[in-house]
Amino acid sequence: MNRKSREVLRITVLAALAGACTISAAKDPMVPQRIPDSYAQAGSLIDIGRGRQLNLRCTGQGARTVILEAGSHADTTTWFKVQPLVATFAKVCSYDRAGYGFSSEGPMPRNLDADVSDLHDLIARAGLKTPVVLVGHSLGSNIARRYAQMHAGDVSGMVLVDPPAQDVAAFAPEWSKDEEAMNAHRFDFIRQCLAGAEKGQLASPPAELQRCTAAPNSLASEKVNAVVAAYKYKPAFWRTLLSELQDNAVVFSKPVSPQETAGQLPLIVLAASDAQAGAPPDVRKALEAATEKTQARIAATSSRGERQVVANSSHDMQLDQPEAIAKAVEKVLKEAGTAENSRAQ
């Protein structure tokens, strides 16, 4: 496989079609098609102690709270289509993890346990009523799962959006070796961007650092893009990104633990039908199999778990099929309410 193909696969999480029902949601004309300018300002900056704040955006009303956990190096803008849909039937909150968006930088390393600790503090300091329903995309699904393991009483259900394949080496060993080499180059590149950020060079980068700055998001206004770019010029972003990606390499190299259990927690795993569209044929089937096995194992951690394939969706399902995510959240909320009523009787 050439280097370009490997890089495409690095950012593309594959979803398998076999062995799961397929769902397709009708498009809601009320879904925003562009990121609102409100994202150019912080929502509520919640003091979580130790001189740190996390940016929290809550909308909607209801007895239950839904928390949206973004994927790797993403901020609250990633949920701009999903959040207003969920807000029609529940209180829903998204937030910027430490080092991203409007949130303060957190202590290193930025691993799953650090993210879980921050989320636990955020829920408490913001006065969010528990138990909550956790919705996690990509890496966010791993954070949600770890949170449910460590704070089971705080969680009444989960929707996991296209969880990435784990233990890929068992299915595509050569690709996995190539990925390890690519990671080394990637981490060196991030260190170069970090050095540039520490020198204040990224707002007007020299030629060797121009790749550190991304093109503007076509879904956002100039105002929102300027704010997003500004936080990515800061060293905190690059320190956080490097630590997060280093931990990802460890997390995703391991299979889903056979000891992981979600008990009877309502759990829906949403798999993207077209996340593998850019994969070269020589590894596509192997990566599909790795993803299917990972997602099936995650669903099986709960006696009430299920895996659904969402049609016409890339890995960024929150942008392609936000209605499908909202539908799954509504179902989990209802199942969680039914379970609590049964226990109360």
Side-chain angles (χ1 to χ4, degrees), residues 154-201:
D154 285 358
V155 182
S156 60
M158 289 190 289
V159 175
L160 306 179
V161 182
D162 212 33
Q166 297 186 205
D167 192 28
V168 173
F171 295 82
E174 291 303 316
W175 181 88
S176 184
K177 289 180 181 178
D178 290 339
E179 180 68 3
E180 289 180 8
M182 287 291 292
N183 275 337
H185 291 295
R186 192 171 302 120
F187 298 156
D188 285 343
F189 168 69
I190 293 173
R191 292 186 184 99
Q192 292 174 10
C193 296
L194 171 58
E198 290 173 338
K199 296 175 183 177
Q201 295 178 312

Tab-separated table of all heavy atoms in Angstrom, residues 154-201:
chain	number	residue	atom	x	y	z
A	154	ASP	N	-23.462	7.000	37.071
A	154	ASP	CA	-23.703	8.285	36.418
A	154	ASP	C	-24.265	8.141	35.013
A	154	ASP	O	-24.574	9.143	34.371
A	154	ASP	CB	-22.394	9.085	36.315
A	154	ASP	CG	-21.965	9.685	37.641
A	154	ASP	OD1	-22.690	9.517	38.638
A	154	ASP	OD2	-20.890	10.315	37.683
A	155	VAL	N	-24.349	6.916	34.495
A	155	VAL	CA	-24.696	6.704	33.093
A	155	VAL	C	-25.929	5.820	32.982
A	155	VAL	O	-25.980	4.736	33.562
A	155	VAL	CB	-23.521	6.056	32.328
A	155	VAL	CG1	-23.864	5.882	30.850
A	155	VAL	CG2	-22.252	6.903	32.473
A	156	SER	N	-26.925	6.293	32.217
A	156	SER	CA	-28.144	5.510	32.024
A	156	SER	C	-28.233	4.894	30.635
A	156	SER	O	-29.112	4.076	30.371
A	156	SER	CB	-29.382	6.391	32.253
A	156	SER	OG	-29.414	7.473	31.347
A	157	GLY	N	-27.330	5.260	29.733
A	157	GLY	CA	-27.336	4.697	28.395
A	157	GLY	C	-26.229	5.307	27.556
A	157	GLY	O	-25.656	6.339	27.908
A	158	MET	N	-25.909	4.648	26.434
A	158	MET	CA	-24.864	5.147	25.542
A	158	MET	C	-25.252	4.947	24.084
A	158	MET	O	-25.867	3.937	23.719
A	158	MET	CB	-23.536	4.433	25.792
A	158	MET	CG	-22.844	4.784	27.098
A	158	MET	SD	-21.141	4.136	27.193
A	158	MET	CE	-21.456	2.372	27.362
A	159	VAL	N	-24.863	5.918	23.263
A	159	VAL	CA	-24.903	5.798	21.808
A	159	VAL	C	-23.481	6.027	21.331
A	159	VAL	O	-22.905	7.093	21.574
A	159	VAL	CB	-25.854	6.817	21.162
A	159	VAL	CG1	-25.759	6.737	19.636
A	159	VAL	CG2	-27.287	6.581	21.621
A	160	LEU	N	-22.887	5.029	20.692
A	160	LEU	CA	-21.497	5.105	20.259
A	160	LEU	C	-21.464	5.175	18.734
A	160	LEU	O	-21.934	4.267	18.046
A	160	LEU	CB	-20.728	3.887	20.766
A	160	LEU	CG	-20.823	3.674	22.288
A	160	LEU	CD1	-20.052	2.428	22.709
A	160	LEU	CD2	-20.309	4.901	23.043
A	161	VAL	N	-20.926	6.285	18.231
A	161	VAL	CA	-20.990	6.595	16.805
A	161	VAL	C	-19.702	6.165	16.108
A	161	VAL	O	-18.643	6.753	16.285
A	161	VAL	CB	-21.236	8.103	16.601
A	161	VAL	CG1	-21.354	8.428	15.114
A	161	VAL	CG2	-22.497	8.546	17.347
A	162	ASP	N	-19.806	5.097	15.327
A	162	ASP	CA	-18.710	4.535	14.542
A	162	ASP	C	-17.429	4.361	15.343
A	162	ASP	O	-16.393	4.956	15.023
A	162	ASP	CB	-18.444	5.396	13.299
A	162	ASP	CG	-17.954	4.546	12.133
A	162	ASP	OD1	-18.380	3.384	12.018
A	162	ASP	OD2	-17.135	5.049	11.339
A	163	PRO	N	-17.448	3.532	16.387
A	163	PRO	CA	-16.225	3.265	17.143
A	163	PRO	C	-15.120	2.727	16.237
A	163	PRO	O	-15.371	1.877	15.378
A	163	PRO	CB	-16.662	2.199	18.155
A	163	PRO	CG	-18.147	2.387	18.284
A	163	PRO	CD	-18.604	2.797	16.922
A	164	PRO	N	-13.892	3.205	16.393
A	164	PRO	CA	-12.789	2.752	15.538
A	164	PRO	C	-12.405	1.301	15.805
A	164	PRO	O	-12.631	0.769	16.879
A	164	PRO	CB	-11.638	3.688	15.927
A	164	PRO	CG	-12.294	4.859	16.573
A	164	PRO	CD	-13.503	4.308	17.271
A	165	ALA	N	-11.815	0.700	14.795
A	165	ALA	CA	-11.317	-0.663	14.935
A	165	ALA	C	-10.200	-0.717	15.961
A	165	ALA	O	-9.340	0.159	16.027
A	165	ALA	CB	-10.816	-1.180	13.599
A	166	GLN	N	-10.212	-1.746	16.776
A	166	GLN	CA	-9.133	-2.014	17.719
A	166	GLN	C	-8.448	-3.317	17.341
A	166	GLN	O	-9.047	-4.193	16.719
A	166	GLN	CB	-9.679	-2.091	19.147
A	166	GLN	CG	-10.304	-0.783	19.620
A	166	GLN	CD	-10.724	-0.779	21.083
A	166	GLN	OE1	-11.598	-0.028	21.468
A	166	GLN	NE2	-10.097	-1.598	21.911
A	167	ASP	N	-7.176	-3.440	17.698
A	167	ASP	CA	-6.388	-4.642	17.422
A	167	ASP	C	-6.347	-4.939	15.926
A	167	ASP	O	-6.513	-6.087	15.496
A	167	ASP	CB	-6.972	-5.832	18.186
A	167	ASP	CG	-6.057	-7.048	18.178
A	167	ASP	OD1	-4.830	-6.865	18.082
A	167	ASP	OD2	-6.578	-8.176	18.269
A	168	VAL	N	-6.069	-3.898	15.126
A	168	VAL	CA	-6.016	-4.069	13.674
A	168	VAL	C	-4.913	-5.030	13.269
A	168	VAL	O	-5.036	-5.740	12.266
A	168	VAL	CB	-5.829	-2.697	12.993
A	168	VAL	CG1	-5.611	-2.860	11.501
A	168	VAL	CG2	-7.045	-1.811	13.234
A	169	ALA	N	-3.837	-5.088	14.038
A	169	ALA	CA	-2.715	-5.959	13.681
A	169	ALA	C	-3.127	-7.416	13.545
A	169	ALA	O	-2.501	-8.173	12.792
A	169	ALA	CB	-1.607	-5.827	14.723
A	170	ALA	N	-4.170	-7.827	14.256
A	170	ALA	CA	-4.641	-9.215	14.160
A	170	ALA	C	-5.298	-9.496	12.813
A	170	ALA	O	-5.440	-10.654	12.422
A	170	ALA	CB	-5.623	-9.507	15.288
A	171	PHE	N	-5.680	-8.451	12.094
A	171	PHE	CA	-6.367	-8.615	10.814
A	171	PHE	C	-5.511	-8.138	9.632
A	171	PHE	O	-5.593	-8.708	8.547
A	171	PHE	CB	-7.681	-7.818	10.823
A	171	PHE	CG	-8.686	-8.319	11.810
A	171	PHE	CD1	-8.626	-7.968	13.147
A	171	PHE	CD2	-9.702	-9.186	11.415
A	171	PHE	CE1	-9.552	-8.430	14.063
A	171	PHE	CE2	-10.637	-9.656	12.320
A	171	PHE	CZ	-10.549	-9.289	13.654
A	172	ALA	N	-4.725	-7.094	9.841
A	172	ALA	CA	-3.900	-6.527	8.770
A	172	ALA	C	-2.524	-6.191	9.328
A	172	ALA	O	-2.198	-5.022	9.548
A	172	ALA	CB	-4.577	-5.287	8.190
A	173	PRO	N	-1.686	-7.207	9.578
A	173	PRO	CA	-0.402	-6.984	10.244
A	173	PRO	C	0.535	-6.059	9.471
A	173	PRO	O	1.221	-5.231	10.081
A	173	PRO	CB	0.180	-8.394	10.389
A	173	PRO	CG	-0.579	-9.243	9.417
A	173	PRO	CD	-1.932	-8.643	9.317
A	174	GLU	N	0.593	-6.177	8.148
A	174	GLU	CA	1.496	-5.325	7.388
A	174	GLU	C	1.049	-3.873	7.438
A	174	GLU	O	1.867	-2.960	7.576
A	174	GLU	CB	1.574	-5.812	5.927
A	174	GLU	CG	2.274	-7.143	5.766
A	174	GLU	CD	3.686	-7.117	6.343
A	174	GLU	OE1	4.411	-6.123	6.101
A	174	GLU	OE2	4.057	-8.073	7.046
A	175	TRP	N	-0.256	-3.661	7.307
A	175	TRP	CA	-0.777	-2.297	7.401
A	175	TRP	C	-0.478	-1.714	8.785
A	175	TRP	O	-0.123	-0.551	8.913
A	175	TRP	CB	-2.280	-2.294	7.146
A	175	TRP	CG	-2.875	-0.921	7.198
A	175	TRP	CD1	-2.982	-0.029	6.184
A	175	TRP	CD2	-3.444	-0.284	8.351
A	175	TRP	NE1	-3.575	1.129	6.629
A	175	TRP	CE2	-3.871	1.000	7.950
A	175	TRP	CE3	-3.627	-0.664	9.676
A	175	TRP	CZ2	-4.473	1.893	8.833
A	175	TRP	CZ3	-4.219	0.231	10.555
A	175	TRP	CH2	-4.640	1.490	10.128
A	176	SER	N	-0.609	-2.529	9.811
A	176	SER	CA	-0.358	-2.073	11.166
A	176	SER	C	1.098	-1.648	11.340
A	176	SER	O	1.390	-0.632	11.991
A	176	SER	CB	-0.707	-3.179	12.164
A	176	SER	OG	-0.569	-2.729	13.488
A	177	LYS	N	2.018	-2.399	10.756
A	177	LYS	CA	3.436	-2.026	10.832
A	177	LYS	C	3.677	-0.702	10.114
A	177	LYS	O	4.433	0.150	10.591
A	177	LYS	CB	4.298	-3.132	10.216
A	177	LYS	CG	4.366	-4.411	11.046
A	177	LYS	CD	5.235	-5.457	10.361
A	177	LYS	CE	5.279	-6.750	11.171
A	177	LYS	NZ	6.087	-7.787	10.483
A	178	ASP	N	3.071	-0.553	8.949
A	178	ASP	CA	3.204	0.704	8.219
A	178	ASP	C	2.657	1.871	9.036
A	178	ASP	O	3.217	2.972	9.036
A	178	ASP	CB	2.453	0.634	6.878
A	178	ASP	CG	3.125	-0.287	5.882
A	178	ASP	OD1	4.320	-0.557	6.049
A	178	ASP	OD2	2.446	-0.727	4.929
A	179	GLU	N	1.563	1.624	9.739
A	179	GLU	CA	0.943	2.669	10.544
A	179	GLU	C	1.858	3.103	11.686
A	179	GLU	O	1.930	4.291	12.024
A	179	GLU	CB	-0.396	2.174	11.095
A	179	GLU	CG	-1.146	3.174	11.951
A	179	GLU	CD	-1.655	4.375	11.186
A	179	GLU	OE1	-1.479	4.417	9.949
A	179	GLU	OE2	-2.213	5.267	11.826
A	180	GLU	N	2.572	2.166	12.262
A	180	GLU	CA	3.515	2.512	13.328
A	180	GLU	C	4.598	3.454	12.799
A	180	GLU	O	4.970	4.426	13.470
A	180	GLU	CB	4.148	1.241	13.892
A	180	GLU	CG	3.183	0.385	14.718
A	180	GLU	CD	3.846	-0.865	15.255
A	180	GLU	OE1	5.095	-0.989	15.120
A	180	GLU	OE2	3.151	-1.722	15.807
A	181	ALA	N	5.095	3.162	11.592
A	181	ALA	CA	6.101	4.035	10.992
A	181	ALA	C	5.514	5.407	10.674
A	181	ALA	O	6.157	6.448	10.881
A	181	ALA	CB	6.661	3.390	9.724
A	182	MET	N	4.275	5.423	10.174
A	182	MET	CA	3.616	6.685	9.883
A	182	MET	C	3.416	7.508	11.140
A	182	MET	O	3.553	8.731	11.135
A	182	MET	CB	2.260	6.417	9.221
A	182	MET	CG	2.343	5.945	7.789
A	182	MET	SD	2.909	7.230	6.662
A	182	MET	CE	1.503	8.341	6.719
A	183	ASN	N	3.105	6.848	12.237
A	183	ASN	CA	2.918	7.562	13.502
A	183	ASN	C	4.188	8.300	13.917
A	183	ASN	O	4.128	9.432	14.404
A	183	ASN	CB	2.487	6.595	14.605
A	183	ASN	CG	0.991	6.364	14.630
A	183	ASN	OD1	0.216	7.185	14.145
A	183	ASN	ND2	0.574	5.242	15.187
A	184	ALA	N	5.326	7.664	13.733
A	184	ALA	CA	6.584	8.306	14.105
A	184	ALA	C	6.777	9.597	13.319
A	184	ALA	O	7.163	10.635	13.882
A	184	ALA	CB	7.749	7.347	13.865
A	185	HIS	N	6.505	9.570	12.019
A	185	HIS	CA	6.612	10.766	11.186
A	185	HIS	C	5.568	11.802	11.600
A	185	HIS	O	5.846	13.010	11.646
A	185	HIS	CB	6.431	10.404	9.715
A	185	HIS	CG	7.552	9.592	9.137
A	185	HIS	ND1	8.841	10.082	9.005
A	185	HIS	CD2	7.586	8.320	8.661
A	185	HIS	CE1	9.615	9.153	8.468
A	185	HIS	NE2	8.881	8.076	8.257
A	186	ARG	N	4.376	11.333	11.911
A	186	ARG	CA	3.279	12.233	12.291
A	186	ARG	C	3.619	12.965	13.586
A	186	ARG	O	3.397	14.176	13.707
A	186	ARG	CB	1.996	11.411	12.452
A	186	ARG	CG	0.724	12.211	12.574
A	186	ARG	CD	-0.473	11.281	12.506
A	186	ARG	NE	-0.487	10.530	11.272
A	186	ARG	CZ	-0.454	9.199	11.188
A	186	ARG	NH1	-0.419	8.467	12.290
A	186	ARG	NH2	-0.470	8.597	10.022
A	187	PHE	N	4.153	12.246	14.549
A	187	PHE	CA	4.488	12.862	15.825
A	187	PHE	C	5.616	13.887	15.654
A	187	PHE	O	5.612	14.940	16.296
A	187	PHE	CB	4.882	11.804	16.850
A	187	PHE	CG	3.777	10.829	17.173
A	187	PHE	CD1	4.068	9.561	17.667
A	187	PHE	CD2	2.437	11.166	16.975
A	187	PHE	CE1	3.049	8.660	17.966
A	187	PHE	CE2	1.414	10.269	17.271
A	187	PHE	CZ	1.724	9.020	17.762
A	188	ASP	N	6.585	13.583	14.773
A	188	ASP	CA	7.651	14.552	14.505
A	188	ASP	C	7.076	15.826	13.884
A	188	ASP	O	7.501	16.943	14.226
A	188	ASP	CB	8.696	13.942	13.567
A	188	ASP	CG	9.600	12.941	14.264
A	188	ASP	OD1	9.653	12.951	15.512
A	188	ASP	OD2	10.250	12.138	13.567
A	189	PHE	N	6.133	15.655	12.975
A	189	PHE	CA	5.494	16.812	12.345
A	189	PHE	C	4.767	17.668	13.383
A	189	PHE	O	4.885	18.902	13.394
A	189	PHE	CB	4.523	16.337	11.271
A	189	PHE	CG	3.608	17.410	10.757
A	189	PHE	CD1	4.095	18.456	9.983
A	189	PHE	CD2	2.260	17.383	11.056
A	189	PHE	CE1	3.250	19.450	9.514
A	189	PHE	CE2	1.403	18.376	10.601
A	189	PHE	CZ	1.900	19.409	9.820
A	190	ILE	N	4.027	17.024	14.293
A	190	ILE	CA	3.306	17.767	15.320
A	190	ILE	C	4.284	18.515	16.216
A	190	ILE	O	4.036	19.659	16.619
A	190	ILE	CB	2.415	16.824	16.145
A	190	ILE	CG1	1.290	16.258	15.263
A	190	ILE	CG2	1.815	17.544	17.352
A	190	ILE	CD1	0.449	15.192	15.941
A	191	ARG	N	5.425	17.891	16.513
A	191	ARG	CA	6.433	18.575	17.326
A	191	ARG	C	6.966	19.819	16.613
A	191	ARG	O	7.258	20.834	17.250
A	191	ARG	CB	7.573	17.608	17.659
A	191	ARG	CG	7.172	16.480	18.613
A	191	ARG	CD	8.377	15.646	19.021
A	191	ARG	NE	7.978	14.515	19.846
A	191	ARG	CZ	7.812	13.280	19.391
A	191	ARG	NH1	8.022	13.004	18.105
A	191	ARG	NH2	7.428	12.305	20.199
A	192	GLN	N	7.107	19.753	15.291
A	192	GLN	CA	7.532	20.924	14.535
A	192	GLN	C	6.487	22.036	14.620
A	192	GLN	O	6.827	23.214	14.802
A	192	GLN	CB	7.763	20.537	13.072
A	192	GLN	CG	8.937	19.609	12.840
A	192	GLN	CD	9.028	19.133	11.400
A	192	GLN	OE1	8.328	19.629	10.525
A	192	GLN	NE2	9.886	18.163	11.146
A	193	CYS	N	5.210	21.664	14.511
A	193	CYS	CA	4.139	22.649	14.629
A	193	CYS	C	4.107	23.238	16.035
A	193	CYS	O	3.880	24.444	16.206
A	193	CYS	CB	2.798	22.011	14.296
A	193	CYS	SG	2.649	21.433	12.586
A	194	LEU	N	4.334	22.398	17.041
A	194	LEU	CA	4.376	22.872	18.418
A	194	LEU	C	5.495	23.896	18.601
A	194	LEU	O	5.297	24.954	19.220
A	194	LEU	CB	4.576	21.691	19.370
A	194	LEU	CG	4.851	22.026	20.844
A	194	LEU	CD1	3.728	22.858	21.441
A	194	LEU	CD2	5.050	20.734	21.643
A	195	ALA	N	6.665	23.601	18.042
A	195	ALA	CA	7.784	24.534	18.147
A	195	ALA	C	7.438	25.861	17.478
A	195	ALA	O	7.752	26.938	18.000
A	195	ALA	CB	9.040	23.926	17.527
A	196	GLY	N	6.764	25.785	16.327
A	196	GLY	CA	6.345	27.001	15.646
A	196	GLY	C	5.321	27.780	16.459
A	196	GLY	O	5.367	29.011	16.518
A	197	ALA	N	4.395	27.060	17.089
A	197	ALA	CA	3.380	27.718	17.919
A	197	ALA	C	4.031	28.400	19.116
A	197	ALA	O	3.641	29.503	19.504
A	197	ALA	CB	2.340	26.697	18.387
A	198	GLU	N	5.022	27.751	19.701
A	198	GLU	CA	5.711	28.344	20.852
A	198	GLU	C	6.464	29.620	20.468
A	198	GLU	O	6.666	30.508	21.303
A	198	GLU	CB	6.672	27.317	21.452
A	198	GLU	CG	5.954	26.165	22.150
A	198	GLU	CD	6.881	25.072	22.607
A	198	GLU	OE1	8.000	24.950	22.052
A	198	GLU	OE2	6.503	24.320	23.527
A	199	LYS	N	6.836	29.720	19.194
A	199	LYS	CA	7.520	30.918	18.703
A	199	LYS	C	6.543	31.942	18.125
A	199	LYS	O	6.975	32.989	17.628
A	199	LYS	CB	8.539	30.527	17.632
A	199	LYS	CG	9.667	29.645	18.144
A	199	LYS	CD	10.567	29.203	17.004
A	199	LYS	CE	11.656	28.255	17.489
A	199	LYS	NZ	12.501	27.775	16.353
A	200	GLY	N	5.230	31.620	18.153
A	200	GLY	CA	4.235	32.538	17.616
A	200	GLY	C	4.253	32.657	16.109
A	200	GLY	O	3.879	33.702	15.560
A	201	GLN	N	4.633	31.582	15.414
A	201	GLN	CA	4.812	31.639	13.963
A	201	GLN	C	3.611	31.173	13.147
A	201	GLN	O	3.581	31.377	11.933
A	201	GLN	CB	6.023	30.780	13.555
A	201	GLN	CG	7.353	31.274	14.078
A	201	GLN	CD	8.482	30.341	13.669
A	201	GLN	OE1	8.379	29.116	13.816
A	201	GLN	NE2	9.550	30.919	13.128
